[in-house]
Amino acid sequence: QVLRVGVDVLEGRLAHVWMLGSLLSTASLPHGEALQQLRVWLQIVNVLLLLHLLRRLSSLATLLKALPRSGSDATAATVAAAVTAAGEHLVPRVHLRSVPPLPLQDADQREALAALRETVRKSVARAGISLGEDEEAVLDDDLACCRYLVARGWAVPPAADMLHAALLWRVRRSPPGPLCDLDSADGAFLRLEGGRGKVYVPDGVDCHGRGVLVLDNSVQRSGSSLQASMRYFAFCIQLALRQAELARARGGGEGGAPAPGLQAPPPDKLLIVIKLHRFSLLNSPPPSHAKETLEMLMNHFPESAGHIIVYRPPRVFSGLWAFSAKLIDAKMRSKVHFISGSVADGSANDALMRRLAGDGWKQLCGCEQPFVSPGCTEGFEPDSYWRGVVQRDRAWSALRGPKPTKGST
């Protein structure tokens, strides 16, 4: 399996270098100033890709040297030590939780949580903003508030600024809460905006108990406004975060199957799958949509992304990521994985996805599935999906009490 990973890395990186090198070696190109700048940048990207390749191969060699030789005592401890020495990019770390178990046991953390709520309520009052049920629910939710504290290293002032901005965003966008009535105004809006499966939450969790969020920009509804898209996306994030809690109550795991080993409390992070195998400039979202989507994940739902799977993107995406990843902190880099090439059973990509999502990852994430409804993403049937969403949200609301709480996780 390690050799499969190494070969996949080698083939993928050499393909990127060959593609860029072929551009540089084209003799018929004109020699303008802009072209010269482009050639310099491509040479820089070439060097970065080669350095990245050498780093991956070096880690592979480290792992092979550290593994026990044939006939020796290959204990779990020695193999684990070898994997740790080689680095998480060969055997990726699984991100499950960032918030400490609730209720908080540390006195300093409890004090920070209380100070956060007090600071935000005062800042909202000074701004003359009236909070609705959704915003009050966020302030009353320990898990939601702790996400902002964790994102800012438990420093109250920057966490309060972050939460204050998130509450203002909620007032402006007004995302729907749990969907308990398909015939309601929220139900009609959600069915219209998400009728093709551009963003949806499968009924089930991955093998680690995390909710799953699947995105497919190729089935974006034409004419969808920024307000409508962001309201719908926020609903889907909240539904995915509720999914782990609901799965824990059901005693279910991957795809709803029994999983007695699920974490207690459940994971507070998501597995996000972005399907780009049908990406084109014609179906790409507007820049304003992409910008606010990233802002939502980073600032309004912080510490929610466990892993982000970029599924079968065009080659240019992998090259751009190899370049831009150098500017991103190591924790965030470890969460992003590109799936390119073969995903057949036993391939390196299949092994990676089985570790991150489980054996049934293709069905759970809607990858390599047949089309069941015209105009929809693979494996998505809108009528049965939305009926299932209502059942899930009713079950989650019953867990929280007789009255559904709008908007929070």
Side-chain angles (χ1 to χ4, degrees):
Q1 183 56 54
V2 170
L3 289 176
R4 284 198 194 104
V5 174
V7 170
D8 181 70
V9 169
L10 180 62
E11 291 178 346
R13 297 305 168 189
L14 287 181
H16 299 155
V17 174
W18 175 85
M19 176 182 66
L20 294 172
S22 63
L23 290 174
L24 291 171
S25 61
T26 303
S28 60
L29 291 176
H31 296 283
E33 181 180 351
L35 179 59
Q36 291 300 326
Q37 293 179 0
L38 175 61
R39 290 166 65 92
V40 171
W41 277 109
L42 288 176
Q43 289 172 347
I44 293 174
V45 172
N46 262 340
V47 172
L48 290 175
L49 288 173
L50 285 172
L51 290 175
H52 186 70
L53 172 62
L54 292 175
R55 174 175 172 266
R56 296 289 294 266
L57 293 178
S58 174
S59 296
L60 178 62
T62 302
L63 178 56
L64 291 175
K65 290 179 181 178
L67 286 174
R69 296 293 184 268
S70 176
S72 64
D73 295 330
T75 64
T78 56
V79 173
V83 168
T84 302
E88 291 182 352
H89 51 279
L90 288 179
V91 181
R93 171 188 173 190
V94 177
H95 300 270
L96 298 179
R97 291 189 63 85
S98 58
V99 176
L102 300 174
L104 296 174
Q105 302 300 313
D106 185 273
D108 291 338
Q109 292 177 348
R110 292 198 302 269
E111 182 179 346
L113 179 58
L116 174 68
R117 287 194 171 109
E118 181 180 0
T119 303
V120 171
R121 290 190 184 279
K122 288 180 178 179
S123 67
V124 167
R126 285 195 302 269
I129 300 169
S130 177
L131 298 182
E133 182 183 356
D134 180 19
E135 296 76 38
E136 289 290 349
V138 173
L139 275 175
D140 292 337
D141 191 326
D142 287 353
L143 175 58
C145 289
C146 283
R147 290 184 189 277
Y148 296 91
L149 287 167
V150 171
R152 293 296 180 261
W154 292 90
V156 173
D161 292 341
M162 191 181 192
L163 179 52
H164 179 92
L167 293 176
L168 294 183
W169 173 85
R170 284 179 176 271
V171 170
R172 185 173 78 256
R173 293 301 186 204
S174 185
L179 181 62
C180 297
D181 182 4
L182 202 57
D183 296 324
S184 65
D186 281 344
F189 161 74
L190 294 170
R191 290 170 64 187
L192 173 65
E193 194 65 25
R196 297 180 178 180
K198 66 174 183 179
V199 185
Y200 72 95
V201 179
D203 186 5
V205 291
D206 67 10
C207 58
H208 307 288
R210 299 177 297 185
V212 180
L213 190 66
V214 181
L215 293 81
D216 184 356
N217 69 285
S218 67
V219 292
Q220 167 80 17
R221 183 175 69 88
S222 61
S224 179
S225 67
L226 178 62
Q227 170 77 356
S229 293
M230 296 304 103
R231 290 187 70 221
Y232 177 72
F233 187 50
F235 169 82
C236 291
I237 294 176
Q238 294 173 149
L239 175 61
L241 290 171
R242 294 192 290 267
Q243 189 68 38
E245 185 178 350
L246 181 60
R248 177 64 185 174
R250 289 173 171 175
E254 177 190 348
L262 278 180
Q263 307 293 317
D268 59 23
K269 292 188 176 294
L270 303 177
L271 174 67
I272 302 175
V273 180
I274 305 174
K275 299 196 292 185
L276 292 176
H277 56 299
R278 293 189 293 162
F279 175 87
S280 74
L281 294 178
L282 297 178
N283 59 32
S284 61
S288 59
H289 292 218
K291 179 177 180 293
E292 188 162 340
T293 297
L294 292 175
E295 181 184 343
M296 286 172 59
L297 289 173
M298 292 188 298
N299 298 329
H300 306 325
F301 295 93
E303 297 296 324
S304 296
H307 282 99
I308 300 175
I309 306 298
V310 184
Y311 188 76
R312 295 178 61 187
R315 283 197 178 276
V316 65
F317 278 78
S318 300
L320 290 174
W321 171 250
F323 177 77
S324 60
K326 310 302 178 183
L327 308 176
I328 302 175
D329 64 276
K331 181 179 179 181
M332 186 61 196
R333 284 202 306 270
S334 68
K335 294 181 179 182
V336 180
H337 294 274
F338 279 71
I339 302 298
S340 300
S342 174
V343 292
D345 292 349
S347 65
N349 286 326
D350 177 62
L352 174 62
M353 289 301 296
R354 286 175 186 269
R355 171 169 171 77
L356 297 180
D359 291 341
W361 68 269
K362 291 180 181 177
Q363 293 76 21
L364 180 66
C365 302
C367 299
E368 310 302 318
Q369 299 299 298
F371 291 95
V372 294
S373 293
C376 296
T377 189
E378 298 97 320
F380 183 84
E381 201 290 309
D383 291 336
S384 60
Y385 172 75
W386 287 110
R387 288 195 299 269
V389 169
V390 171
Q391 294 175 357
R392 284 184 272 168
D393 270 346
R394 285 177 178 173
W396 180 86
S397 297
L399 288 176
R400 286 296 184 99
K403 183 179 178 180
T405 299
K406 183 181 177 184
S408 179
T409 60

